[in-house]
Amino acid sequence: MAIRDIDDLPKNAANYTALTPLWFLERAATVHPSRKAVVHGSRTYTWLQTYQRCRRLASALAKRSVGAGSTVAVIAPNIPATNEAHFGIPMCGAVINPVNIRLNASTIAFLLGHSQSAAVIVDQEFFTLAEDSLKIMKEKSQGHFNPPLLVVVADEACDPEAFRYALGQGAIEYEKFLESGDPDFAWKPPQDEWQSIALGYTSGTTASPKGVVLHHRGAYLMSLCNPLVWGMNEGAIYLWTLPMFHCNGWCFTWAIAALCGTNICLRQKN
């Protein structure tokens, strides 16, 4: 027997929208455009700048046919690009796959293959790890390897030689990649909040890693639960000792945007 409500009002744009943590970024940029959003060494970005950078990332990916049904892997520690990826990648409809930087090349090769990653954003320190992983994939492909788009992130705290090597191997510089995108990119929220926003994998289990999918609704709710449980206030300053690649930093990547807080990146503590 069908359950009947007291009315028959249908869902429409005036009374319903799919839940997604992406709204938090737009709100933070609107309410506190000049507040610091990210601090990393000598670099700082405001919420407005972060919103524009994330829209550029989404646009740049979309221009390269990365969107709904695509997965983008991120092999990086706690740096601004990792935080931006949690917004920019789903803004183009794709799914973010944050990869544990402590894994070996063989395991990462499995993850990239299983997730069918269309693009890989990698920090310069871990470029050779990504390169070795892709070589393993190519060797196992029996001539059918389609390499993903490779984007490398430079960091002033690292040896510049590693960055130059990555560019020499054909990787695209992250900042130049962003420059190719539109800061006013008209991103769209998911039509269904059940749509996937992130893909993670288990580590240290028997056999191959197991994939775990997070949807937009779950990410939205977890992002609001975190501040409630931990007693965090609006404008909280969060020091990133927890790896962003671990369960999307337990969704604090999105929770800090909900609080219009400040992310203090800490790459060496992951």
Side-chain angles (χ1 to χ4, degrees), residues 160-213:
E161 185 58 36
F163 178 63
R164 287 192 288 268
Y165 172 78
L167 295 180
Q169 297 303 112
I172 304 172
E173 181 181 357
Y174 181 73
E175 292 300 326
K176 291 189 178 299
F177 188 66
L178 293 190
E179 289 174 7
S180 71
D182 182 1
D184 297 315
F185 177 70
W187 65 276
K188 295 180 181 179
Q191 292 183 340
D192 187 346
E193 59 192 27
W194 191 257
Q195 184 176 325
S196 303
I197 189 172
L199 170 64
Y201 283 88
T202 59
S203 299
T205 55
T206 56
S208 299
K210 315 300 188 297
V212 181
V213 178

Side-chain angles (χ1 to χ4, degrees), residues 30-137:
T30 301
V31 178
H32 295 290
S34 59
R35 178 179 288 179
K36 288 183 180 179
V38 179
V39 177
H40 181 52
S42 62
R43 281 188 290 158
T44 62
Y45 299 114
T46 65
W47 277 113
L48 178 58
Q49 290 173 325
T50 297
Y51 186 36
Q52 292 172 336
R53 288 172 62 83
C54 292
R55 293 169 83 177
R56 283 184 180 275
L57 175 57
S59 173
L61 289 169
K63 286 180 178 179
R64 292 161 176 80
S65 301
V66 177
S70 302
T71 300
V72 178
V74 179
I75 308 174
N78 290 350
I79 56 175
T82 310
N83 185 64
E84 292 164 1
H86 278 80
F87 294 94
I89 292 172
M91 275 180 167
C92 74
V95 175
I96 180 173
N97 174 24
V99 176
N100 187 337
I101 57 177
R102 302 187 183 105
L103 299 176
N104 58 30
S106 177
T107 303
I108 293 179
F110 172 82
L111 267 55
L112 298 180
H114 186 268
S115 64
Q116 298 181 337
S117 294
V120 176
I121 299 174
V122 56
D123 177 84
Q124 66 170 77
E125 182 180 352
F126 302 95
F127 180 80
T128 55
L129 176 62
E131 185 179 42
D132 291 343
S133 301
L134 293 175
K135 287 179 180 178
I136 293 172
M137 292 176 64

Side-chain angles (χ1 to χ4, degrees), residues 184-241:
D184 297 315
F185 177 70
W187 65 276
K188 295 180 181 179
Q191 292 183 340
D192 187 346
E193 59 192 27
W194 191 257
Q195 184 176 325
S196 303
I197 189 172
L199 170 64
Y201 283 88
T202 59
S203 299
T205 55
T206 56
S208 299
K210 315 300 188 297
V212 181
V213 178
L214 176 66
H215 50 50
H216 282 256
R217 175 184 173 85
Y220 178 96
L221 295 176
M222 185 68 176
S223 299
L224 294 182
C225 286
N226 281 337
L228 288 173
V229 172
W230 291 101
M232 300 171 70
N233 297 321
E234 193 272 345
I237 299 175
Y238 189 82
L239 179 64
W240 275 102
T241 57

